[in-house]
Amino acid sequence: HAYAGYMAKQMLKSEGIRIPMITTLHGTDITLVGNHPFYKPAVSFSINKSDYVTSVSQSLKDDTYKLFDIKKEIEVIPNFIEIDKERIDVNSLCHRSLMATQDQKIITHISNFRKVKRIPDVIKIFYEIQKTIPSKLMMVGEGPEKEIAEKMCDDLKINDKVIFFGNSNEIDKILSYSDLFLLPSETESFGLAALEAMSAGVPVISSNSGGLPEVNKQGYSGYLSNVGDVGDMAKNAIAILSDDENLITFKKNALQLAKEFDIKEIMPLYEKLYERALHKYEDKNMVK
């Protein structure tokens, strides 16, 4: 997209129209796809030709400098969530009973089921949790690792405790009934899925990789563990779920922390950057 933006900018320039271009780095498009030898020169070129560059996390900013020959300053402006949007009233709907019984905790994972999401770890963590805590696992999404996860559930004989939704347009509803969110990813540029969960008041058990420590606060909104440390993640999950008062505290904390990423807090940062870009061009009499 940045490369297409640069080409559009040059086309407009030939017509005497000069406008600034801002590029936002927002995911593994940079660290995985962009670092491929076929794409790397174009990605480096596009970033360096942008007037301003932003990144959704400090971690992604650091990775970009590490992987590419970038001369531009990168400004960190995090992803955001709409906290004030209409939420599901858990008490007014009976859909929860379709997922779990009253005494069971609901644990959720949402992703594109790629290898980087470490889907087998999700199943392993839940397998340990359900030994101690009556619970159900909601697996939301589609992807290459889904079949592997289904087979693991079959082998571990926990099919009756795991629901595979596939892609769903009822994410808000599922999260509203959830007690815990699992995100043991190999890496996350930011961890928007974790923030979505937290905005619904759901504590997060995640890896400490990439931008996740910038979203999920250790011992406050949830817990972070080393990538692949299934035992530690399961232990932390059980610690949250085994005490109802503790769970309520973590839920409140998760929502409170998510409010720091509310669109009302983050959008003005983008707007200020756009204004700076426009003023820079205006000062040079470049905007027509």
Side-chain angles (χ1 to χ4, degrees), residues 60-68 70 72-74:
L60 183 58
K61 173 182 176 177
D62 295 341
D63 286 346
T64 303
Y65 280 130
K66 193 184 306 177
L67 295 171
F68 302 94
I70 301 302
K72 304 292 294 189
E73 172 63 28
I74 300 174

Side-chain angles (χ1 to χ4, degrees), residues 53-92:
V53 183
T54 73
S55 169
V56 295
S57 69
Q58 182 65 41
S59 172
L60 183 58
K61 173 182 176 177
D62 295 341
D63 286 346
T64 303
Y65 280 130
K66 193 184 306 177
L67 295 171
F68 302 94
D69 183 21
I70 301 302
K71 304 292 193 281
K72 304 292 294 189
E73 172 63 28
I74 300 174
E75 301 188 35
V76 176
I77 301 180
N79 272 324
F80 52 83
I81 196 77
E82 191 177 359
I83 297 292
D84 289 338
K85 68 181 177 180
E86 188 175 343
R87 299 285 174 184
I88 303 297
D89 183 355
V90 178
N91 297 319
S92 68

Side-chain angles (χ1 to χ4, degrees), residues 103-108 125-126 129-130 132-136 178-182 202-203 205 223 233-248 250-251:
D103 67 321
Q104 290 177 317
K105 297 291 192 270
I106 294 179
I107 300 162
T108 301
I125 295 165
F126 174 71
I129 295 171
Q130 58 87 39
T132 305
I133 307 287
S135 51
K136 295 284 286 287
S178 298
D179 296 295
L180 192 69
F181 190 81
L182 301 181
V202 184
I205 296 294
Y223 288 103
M233 292 184 192
K235 178 190 69 145
N236 291 332
I238 292 168
I240 292 176
L241 295 172
S242 58
D243 184 324
D244 285 342
E245 285 190 15
N246 191 40
L247 176 57
I248 289 170
F250 270 93
K251 286 189 171 191

Side-chain angles (χ1 to χ4, degrees), residues 179-193:
D179 296 295
L180 192 69
F181 190 81
L182 301 181
L183 195 64
S185 305
E186 188 81 29
T187 186
E188 292 280 349
S189 61
F190 177 78
L192 189 55

Side-chain angles (χ1 to χ4, degrees), residues 70-254:
I70 301 302
K71 304 292 193 281
K72 304 292 294 189
E73 172 63 28
I74 300 174
E75 301 188 35
V76 176
I77 301 180
N79 272 324
F80 52 83
I81 196 77
E82 191 177 359
I83 297 292
D84 289 338
K85 68 181 177 180
E86 188 175 343
R87 299 285 174 184
I88 303 297
D89 183 355
V90 178
N91 297 319
S92 68
L93 297 172
C94 60
H95 292 90
R96 189 191 189 282
S97 62
L98 299 175
M99 296 189 287
T101 59
Q102 196 63 37
D103 67 321
Q104 290 177 317
K105 297 291 192 270
I106 294 179
I107 300 162
T108 301
H109 171 80
I110 302 171
S111 75
N112 52 20
F113 284 57
R114 290 184 299 152
K115 207 158 202 173
V116 69
K117 303 298 181 181
R118 297 187 69 91
I119 301 300
D121 283 5
V122 176
I123 304 301
K124 291 174 185 176
I125 295 165
F126 174 71
Y127 180 68
E128 294 303 319
I129 295 171
Q130 58 87 39
K131 290 179 182 177
T132 305
I133 307 287
S135 51
K136 295 284 286 287
L137 175 63
M138 310 294 118
M139 297 288 284
V140 185
E142 291 284 353
E145 298 285 294
K146 182 182 177 184
E147 192 174 328
I148 294 171
E150 290 173 328
K151 186 177 186 307
M152 284 184 68
C153 291
D154 190 46
D155 292 343
L156 293 169
K157 296 180 171 49
I158 54 173
N159 283 331
D160 61 329
K161 297 180 180 180
V162 183
I163 299 176
F164 287 89
F165 285 88
N167 290 328
S168 173
N169 59 2
E170 295 190 319
I171 300 298
D172 284 349
K173 189 177 293 184
I174 294 168
L175 287 175
S176 293
Y177 301 127
S178 298
D179 296 295
L180 192 69
F181 190 81
L182 301 181
L183 195 64
S185 305
E186 188 81 29
T187 186
E188 292 280 349
S189 61
F190 177 78
L192 189 55
L195 181 57
E196 287 273 3
M198 289 161 54
S199 73
V202 184
V204 175
I205 296 294
S206 73
S207 57
N208 56 12
S209 179
L212 282 168
E214 298 173 49
V215 181
N216 184 22
K217 188 175 177 182
Q218 175 78 355
Y220 182 76
S221 59
Y223 288 103
L224 301 110
S225 304
N226 292 331
V227 174
D229 194 343
V230 172
D232 191 56
M233 292 184 192
K235 178 190 69 145
N236 291 332
I238 292 168
I240 292 176
L241 295 172
S242 58
D243 184 324
D244 285 342
E245 285 190 15
N246 191 40
L247 176 57
I248 289 170
T249 299
F250 270 93
K251 286 189 171 191
K252 288 179 179 176
N253 291 347

